[in-house]
Amino acid sequence: MNSRWMSGWRACLRLARRDALTHPGRSLLVVAMIALPVIGVAASDVVLRSHQLTAGEKAQRDLGTVADAQVNYLGGRVEQTPDGIGASVEGASGTNFGDRTDAATALKALLPAGSRVLEMRDTWTMLQSASDHTAPTTSVNVTIADANDPVVAGKFRTIAGRAAVAADEIELTASLARRLGVHLGDRVSSFQPYQALTVVGIFSVPLNALTDQAVAPLGSALDPALARSSSGVPLDAAATYLVKTPSPIRWSDVLRLNSLGFLVHSRYVYLHPPPSSQVSFRSFEQTMLSAQTATGLAVAAGMALLEIVLLAGPAFAVGARRQRRELAILAAVGGDRIDMRRTVLAQGVVLGVTGGVLGVGLGIAAGAGVRGFLAAHMGEIFGGLHLHLLDLAGIVLVGVATGLLAAMFPARSASRQDVVAALSGRRGTVRSSRLLPLFGLLAFGVGVGIASLGAIQARRATFILFGSAFAELGLVMCTPILVGAAGRAAPLFRGCVRLALRDAARNRGRSAPAAAAILAAAAGCVGVLIFLAGTAAHNRATYVPSTPIGTALVKLASHGADPTSAQADAVVQALRDSLPVKDAAVVNGAGGCGLENTCTEVRVAQPACMHAHHACLVGGGLQTGDVLVGGPQLLTAAIGYHAPKAEEMLREGGAVVFDPAQVIDGKTTLELRKLNMSPDGSVPSTHVSPSVTVTVPAAVAPPRGNRTPALLLSPQAASRLGLSVAPVAVVASTTTLPNKHTEDLARTAAQRAGGFGLGIERGYHDPQAGLKLALIAFAAFVIVGASGVATGLAIADGRADHATLAAVGAPPGVRRRLAATQSAVLAFIGVVAGTLAGLIPAAAVLHSHSIGRDPGYPLVFPWPALLTVILGAPLLGAAFAWLFTHSHLPLRRRAA
């Protein structure tokens, strides 16, 4: 039995190979359909595997070529993963190193005798070419280290020039030098603090050719360890320690250092990871990649495979139809239905193996190219070209499975054909299964129910995902009936539309799978578009501008000293010179921390609640909760319009609040407290003086949609309350909204004047516009491709009908118009059904997101995008079909 079964399959495979060579056009079409997704999957596997660095590559990236470990002091009991990427800090470590020197000394005492500990620090600054004041500025991570020390070898590879050794020297990566437009010997300007530095070297970072980074020596003007707080206290700059030890740092040593507050990246542990039983900490990626996420990926992969099967199915259906006579002869000489099915399935195996192998080969090449592009142009970190044979073999099997699944239904139909009708050349009556649409309607109803359950009660994404997939599969099963129903509507139309509808209904073996593939693509696109529209509507409703629209906000730099009024005035002038400024005002913070290590806390009291905010922690923005000092100009900038009563109150020395409940009988109540700070100026101590309650005249200025400070004091009121006032930001309203180039120039000018972080409030901006265009383009590509494939097969399959049209005098343009109409009809049927299928998951997800939220996520129909998919894609497919179809009608004798 087995030998007969094997010999039967061998014979069918030989026939399939011969048929593929006999009909290369159709075979190449199927191979391409199978190979294209395989190429994508194989390329993605190569890119992802290459992105997963080996232990040696991780050690080289983090430690260079010499250091045995990299250590950071975190101050609490540390639990970490062996590679140090994931870590948690809890409680106290039992040690409390007062500064960097103590931590470095203690670390060296904990390591084996003869160990070397090299300190490095990281900071951020803004760099710009010193020779061009209009050049762009770039935010840069600067590593402060002795790059000539042997322990650092391999972390920074100098490729031109030399390492920076003097305080006014700096070394840049090649990408940063290109971005700044500088070369060796040129000078760059840094901001916060302002310093002119000479570029003495160009270096590269291992495994990352595109990174903006700089290296400066210890003692450089950029060294954060030399900075001092506004109270004159040195800032404690967090340090990283590179360690070279005479013996390896094992996992037991890592755990011991963890207990003392150190996070350790050990080369030995990278190369010899401990067993999982000895690792108590699991990173977020290890613990949060839940079964729900895995299920979602599996369902998405299954739907993608279904899409491919539906696209390739019509070609197998046409191939089976062309083999009708051969299959009928096979049945006439004694072959059974199994032999007929096997003959068609063998074609799926042959073409699936061909597409899988070809796709994997091309996918490896594409993955290598994408890997190189991402590394060179996007800054992604990759190791070597990692090829996992098991992955690639599984991808080939996916191609084989695709071919088999695509050939399954044509094989079933071929085995059930009327042998006498096939031998006589008649097509017979085309009927659809009566059970299939019933199962489809049942699956659609069950899917809607499951999705509704996930949206209303369970509120779980898995329910919505499975429900949507069931509903979509139900509609896919109903596609033959939909195509048949469209054919019954043919008498309502004339000309090519009638012919196209009848042809689609008569040849459901190729038209229904194509319409189903279009349905699947349209469902995904429409569902995501509706979800994005609902999310955008929610975000737009909840968006609160930080300042009035068109207002520029610049924070004032504070590196080593408090900002001064002269610095604020310089920033104001810089904004006036570079922007179309209407009004500008200096934002002053009230309270502040004095040199005697005291801070003043100001809060507004009201009967129902307390607004408590530390004025000495003001960040310089017009954010809710700030206590600011200024006049009418600042009020106008804060609320975006003139409020005469509030402006008059500020002129008279009062205050302005933005909550009517905070004003009683024309006054507001404030609470003031003096906080004594700890000696290092970091946190308030437990010694807090009693609070003092005062009342000041106040007016209310209701905001108009943007954030406002909690309290705006006039300079006179701040003086009466004994509050110190210091400038923290500059705000300027503009007459017209500047473009991005003007904003960049203004940012550079403000930085040179002593400000940083310039931002212009432009209102709500939908960040998903690019994603929407990509979705529409992808859906249009699939819709046009599916309708084009079905139309091409219809044109090839209908040559006899076209010969009849030519014989009865049809003009040449009929063939083109018929092809365009066939493409549009199939695409429109699939898109309409796909819109219904896509509406279900979108509505369910939006409803689940809306529970407990006000405002919620409304069901919004983005009609321009939807009409582009529903009408634009079918019309585009029709246009392509019209362009690429020959108008010549074949004149030949029809087969009897």
Side-chain angles (χ1 to χ4, degrees):
M1 183 66 182
N2 289 334
S3 60
R4 181 185 176 187
W5 184 84
M6 290 295 298
S7 62
W9 266 107
R10 283 196 296 268
C12 291
L13 289 174
R14 285 195 297 269
L15 288 174
R17 287 196 298 269
R18 187 188 67 181
D19 181 77
L21 295 174
T22 306
H23 303 92
R26 174 172 53 83
S27 301
L28 287 176
L29 180 65
V30 176
V31 168
M33 288 181 180
I34 296 173
L36 281 175
V38 170
I39 291 172
V41 175
S44 300
D45 181 77
V46 171
V47 172
L48 291 175
R49 290 294 190 177
S50 300
H51 200 274
Q52 297 171 351
L53 304 183
T54 63
E57 291 166 344
K58 289 180 181 179
Q60 180 186 10
R61 176 197 63 187
D62 297 337
L63 307 175
T65 56
V66 175
D68 292 304
Q70 176 180 295
V71 183
N72 296 85
Y73 178 64
L74 303 183
R77 291 189 300 272
V78 178
E79 288 188 342
Q80 68 169 80
T81 55
D83 58 8
I85 294 177
S88 66
V89 184
E90 296 182 0
S93 63
T95 59
N96 185 16
F97 307 125
D99 55 26
R100 301 180 311 277
T101 305
D102 292 344
T105 304
L107 175 61
K108 191 170 184 179
L110 295 170
L111 297 173
S115 299
R116 290 200 58 210
V117 177
L118 180 69
E119 182 177 354
M120 300 192 309
R121 291 182 288 276
D122 285 300
T123 186
W124 286 89
T125 189
M126 302 293 296
L127 292 181
Q128 182 191 38
S129 172
S131 61
D132 185 2
H133 291 181
T134 63
T137 58
T138 302
S139 179
V140 181
N141 172 253
V142 183
T143 299
I144 308 297
D146 182 2
N148 286 320
D149 195 293
V151 178
V152 188
K155 279 188 71 70
F156 314 109
R157 296 177 180 173
T158 301
I159 56 179
R162 59 175 176 82
V165 294
D168 63 344
E169 294 179 346
I170 195 169
E171 193 175 5
L172 311 177
T173 58
S175 62
L176 177 58
R178 288 193 299 268
R179 187 183 298 271
L180 295 175
V182 297
H183 304 86
L184 286 177
D186 292 344
R187 294 176 70 81
V188 294
S189 298
S190 69
F191 303 92
Q192 304 101 42
Y194 177 79
Q195 183 74 25
L197 305 167
T198 302
V199 179
V200 297
I202 304 295
F203 72 96
S204 65
V205 178
L207 305 179
N208 193 348
L210 191 69
T211 181
D212 290 343
Q213 192 172 347
V215 175
L218 296 171
S220 168
L222 302 179
D223 193 340
L226 302 180
R228 304 179 73 84
S229 68
S230 59
S231 59
V233 178
L235 295 174
D236 185 26
T240 298
Y241 305 98
L242 279 183
V243 174
K244 177 63 179 174
T245 58
S247 60
I249 297 179
R250 304 176 185 273
W251 181 243
S252 58
D253 301 319
V254 172
L255 295 178
R256 179 170 57 87
L257 292 171
N258 286 165
S259 66
L260 298 174
F262 293 98
L263 173 68
V264 184
H265 299 258
S266 168
R267 185 186 300 273
Y268 182 86
V269 175
Y270 277 177
L271 300 176
H272 306 87
S276 58
S277 60
Q278 297 181 17
V279 182
S280 59
F281 180 79
R282 296 291 185 272
S283 66
F284 176 85
E285 290 79 5
Q286 292 171 315
T287 58
M288 296 303 292
L289 186 58
S290 60
Q292 178 174 317
T293 303
T295 301
L297 293 176
V299 172
M303 297 305 293
L305 182 62
L306 174 64
E307 179 79 13
I308 302 165
V309 169
L310 292 173
L311 284 172
F316 282 106
V318 171
R321 173 171 295 170
R322 289 187 171 184
Q323 289 182 297
R324 291 173 70 246
R325 186 173 180 82
E326 296 177 11
L327 295 174
I329 293 174
L330 177 63
V333 296
D336 56 15
R337 294 183 183 273
I338 296 177
D339 295 325
M340 299 171 72
R341 280 199 300 267
R342 190 183 294 161
T343 301
V344 180
L345 288 175
Q347 296 178 6
V349 174
V350 170
L351 298 180
V353 170
T354 306
V357 173
L358 180 64
V360 166
L362 294 176
I364 293 173
V370 170
R371 169 183 167 276
F373 174 83
L374 293 176
H377 299 282
M378 304 297 290
E380 294 293 332
I381 298 176
F382 291 96
L385 184 63
H386 300 162
L387 302 180
H388 288 244
L389 296 181
L390 287 179
D391 292 358
L392 299 178
I395 295 171
V396 172
L397 291 179
V398 169
V400 177
T402 302
L404 276 173
L405 291 173
M408 186 175 296
F409 285 102
R412 179 175 176 271
S413 300
S415 66
R416 295 187 175 188
Q417 69 175 344
D418 187 336
V419 176
V420 176
L423 289 174
S424 63
R426 293 182 286 108
R427 296 190 179 185
T429 305
V430 180
R431 296 183 182 274
S432 298
S433 171
R434 296 182 178 181
L435 292 178
L436 189 63
L438 294 178
F439 281 119
L441 291 175
L442 179 62
F444 179 77
V446 170
V448 172
I450 294 175
S452 301
L453 180 64
I456 299 173
Q457 295 182 5
R459 284 183 265 177
R460 294 184 58 186
T462 306
F463 280 61
I464 298 175
L465 184 63
F466 270 110
S468 303
F470 264 102
E472 185 173 330
L473 286 173
L475 287 177
V476 166
M477 286 188 282
C478 292
T479 305
I481 295 299
L482 295 177
V483 174
R488 293 188 185 94
L492 301 177
F493 300 92
R494 299 181 61 186
C496 291
V497 177
R498 178 183 294 183
L499 291 175
L501 289 171
R502 285 180 172 175
D503 180 78
R506 199 175 163 208
N507 299 280
R508 298 177 202 179
R510 57 172 160 79
S511 57
I518 295 170
L519 182 156
C525 177
V526 168
V528 176
L529 286 175
I530 294 177
F531 172 75
L532 293 178
T535 303
H538 169 80
N539 294 340
R540 186 177 291 106
T542 56
Y543 178 77
V544 180
S546 58
T547 57
I549 304 299
T551 300
L553 177 66
V554 182
K555 299 178 182 179
L556 297 181
S558 179
H559 188 90
D562 287 331
T564 63
S565 298
Q567 183 180 355
D569 293 340
V571 173
V572 170
Q573 188 59 46
L575 292 180
R576 291 188 180 277
D577 293 340
S578 55
L579 292 175
V581 173
K582 179 181 179 182
D583 293 308
V586 178
V587 180
N588 295 293
C593 299
L595 294 178
E596 64 277 10
N597 292 330
T598 61
C599 285
T600 302
E601 180 191 69
V602 182
R603 59 184 182 182
V604 184
Q606 62 182 18
C609 62
M610 300 290 289
H611 291 290
H613 299 281
H614 292 229
C616 60
L617 301 181
V618 168
L622 297 180
Q623 305 295 320
T624 302
D626 294 343
V627 179
L628 305 179
V629 178
Q633 285 183 324
L634 179 56
L635 173 65
T636 304
I639 64 177
Y641 66 96
H642 289 286
K645 292 183 179 179
E647 293 175 7
E648 185 63 27
M649 179 60 69
L650 290 177
R651 293 190 187 96
E652 294 177 355
V656 173
V657 295
F658 303 89
D659 184 355
Q662 295 174 340
V663 176
I664 300 176
D665 297 331
K667 294 183 178 181
T668 189
T669 302
L670 306 179
E671 291 188 0
L672 286 75
R673 292 192 300 172
K674 292 285 186 179
L675 282 74
N676 297 322
M677 307 302 289
S678 58
D680 63 356
S682 59
V683 295
S685 70
T686 56
H687 302 289
V688 179
S689 60
S691 61
V692 178
T693 301
V694 296
T695 59
V696 296
V700 179
R704 289 186 179 178
N706 60 278
R707 298 176 184 174
T708 57
L711 174 68
L712 180 56
L713 290 172
S714 64
Q716 302 93 314
S719 178
R720 289 196 305 271
L721 296 174
L723 301 175
S724 59
V725 176
V728 293
V730 170
V731 63
S733 59
T734 57
T735 55
T736 57
L737 195 63
N739 57 35
K740 289 294 184 179
H741 177 68
T742 303
E743 182 180 348
D744 291 339
L745 295 179
R747 182 176 295 108
T748 299
Q751 287 166 349
R752 288 191 169 275
F756 70 99
L758 179 143
I760 298 178
E761 179 57 62
R762 299 178 179 272
Y764 176 75
H765 172 69
D766 186 4
Q768 307 295 344
L771 177 59
K772 293 176 182 178
L773 290 176
L775 282 170
I776 294 173
F778 173 76
F781 174 78
V782 175
I783 292 170
V784 171
S787 59
V789 167
T791 303
L793 293 172
I795 292 295
D797 194 35
R799 293 181 65 86
D801 297 329
H802 300 162
T804 301
L805 288 173
V808 297
V814 168
R815 197 167 190 248
R816 276 188 166 182
R817 291 197 297 272
L818 180 59
T821 308
Q822 287 174 324
S823 175
V825 164
L826 279 180
F828 187 74
I829 293 172
V831 166
V832 171
T835 301
L836 176 61
L839 178 62
I840 296 168
V845 172
L846 291 173
H847 188 276
S848 67
H849 280 45
S850 298
I851 297 176
R853 291 186 173 96
D854 186 23
Y857 289 76
L859 183 62
V860 178
F861 294 94
W863 288 115
L866 292 180
L867 290 178
T868 301
V869 176
I870 297 173
L871 298 179
L875 291 177
L876 181 63
F880 275 104
W882 188 87
L883 286 173
F884 292 101
T885 300
H886 294 294
S887 60
H888 175 69
L889 287 167
L891 258 179
R892 65 175 187 173
R893 183 177 62 85
R894 290 195 58 173

